[in-house]
Amino acid sequence: QSVLTQPPSVSAAPGQKVTISCSGSSSNIGNNYVSWYQQLPGTAPKLLIYDNNKRPSGIPDRFSGSKSGTSATLGITGLQTGDEADYYCGTWDSSLSSLVFGGGTKLTVL
Amino acid sequence: QITLKESGPTLVKPTQTLTLTCTFSGFSLSTSGVGVGWIRQPPGKALEWLALIYWDDDKRYSPSLKSRLTITKDTSKNQVVLTMTNMDPVDTATYYCAHRRPCGGDCYFSWGQGTLVTVSS
């Protein structure tokens, strides 16, 4: 049981937009920055979004992040088959004194 | 270019101690704000954060595993070592090390390829 709650799966057609939610509490998302990671099949995770809504260099602006209260959202526009992956949110939990991750969301591009 | 690579045994027996080494290049663990962390992922499951060591030797551990973990660094060799005692089959996972750059939160900008560790007798 993960501290952060993500939907197990989402799907959308190529070219469409999808959002992935990450729900937490005041001890984690509510008072700390959120990061998002993409994990393509058989590979290591890759940082997509940090500090709620910043993109590392090289990450296209099709990927966006937002945060409101105790929830965060990853948005992906112009979906491509190459976006099929598992996506994880992560943030510090001040009560646990630990970095925590969501359970992951599998994105399928139909 | 930043690279990290994990090394260590692929198979350990229950109750043994696991020692993993992360060898990195492209950054210095002497730079303010920089850290190296360890994250693991059991087959088919989610990521789990284990530990983090900062440039100033400050260390953070997962509360649930703190009694079993030790993280150290050798700045001159560009290496970070993680030891985990009393290994159990449930510790079977791919273990990643990752580079933490200064940011507002906890963000790992670069990751190693990971190393699969199987715990079995």
Side-chain angles (χ1 to χ4, degrees):
Chain A
Q1 192 80 1
S2 301
V3 173
L4 305 179
T5 301
Q6 298 181 235
S9 63
V10 296
S11 61
Q16 297 300 302
K17 173 182 177 179
V18 71
T19 60
I20 297 173
S21 61
C22 177
S23 178
S25 67
S26 59
S27 66
N28 42 67
I29 292 177
N31 284 284
N32 293 292
Y33 289 100
V34 177
S35 297
W36 288 91
Y37 298 87
Q38 176 193 60
Q39 188 175 31
L40 297 170
T43 70
K46 174 183 178 182
L47 182 65
L48 281 182
I49 299 289
Y50 69 99
D51 290 357
N52 300 335
N53 54 19
K54 298 177 182 176
R55 283 176 286 106
S57 61
I59 301 300
D61 59 6
R62 300 190 298 108
F63 296 90
S64 64
S66 64
K67 189 182 96 167
S68 178
T70 59
S71 293
T73 301
L74 173 70
I76 311 173
T77 60
L79 278 171
Q80 303 172 2
T81 55
D83 296 331
E84 287 201 333
D86 293 323
Y87 292 84
Y88 293 91
C89 58
T91 187
W92 187 257
D93 189 295
S94 304
S95 294
L96 297 174
S97 293
S98 176
L99 177 63
V100 293
F101 290 101
T105 299
K106 182 177 182 60
L107 169 64
T108 300
V109 181
L110 302 167
Chain B
Q1 180 191 4
I2 290 175
T3 64
L4 304 98
K5 187 171 184 178
E6 307 86 354
S7 59
T10 57
L11 178 66
V12 297
K13 291 179 167 45
T15 75
Q16 286 187 336
T17 294
L18 171 69
T19 299
L20 293 173
T21 300
C22 176
T23 303
F24 59 86
S25 64
F27 68 95
S28 172
L29 202 37
S30 299
T31 302
S32 178
V34 170
V36 171
W38 286 91
I39 301 99
R40 72 178 180 179
Q41 185 174 37
K45 296 189 177 181
L47 301 172
E48 179 184 19
W49 177 76
L50 300 177
L52 168 65
I53 189 165
Y54 286 100
W55 84 102
D56 60 357
D57 211 38
D58 188 18
K59 300 165 188 176
R60 298 281 186 265
Y61 294 102
S62 166
S64 63
L65 294 167
K66 185 174 183 178
S67 63
R68 300 172 53 204
L69 295 173
T70 302
I71 190 169
T72 59
K73 64 181 176 69
D74 186 330
T75 306
S76 64
K77 293 183 178 180
N78 282 354
Q79 290 182 332
V80 171
V81 175
L82 180 76
T83 61
M84 180 180 292
T85 61
N86 194 24
M87 293 292 285
D88 183 272
V90 300
D91 296 313
T92 294
T94 296
Y95 288 75
Y96 298 99
C97 63
H99 168 227
R100 183 196 182 276
R101 266 175 44 187
C103 62
D106 280 80
C107 36
Y108 292 94
F109 279 73
S110 301
W111 294 59
Q113 64 189 23
T115 185
L116 176 61
V117 178
T118 301
V119 184
S120 174
S121 55

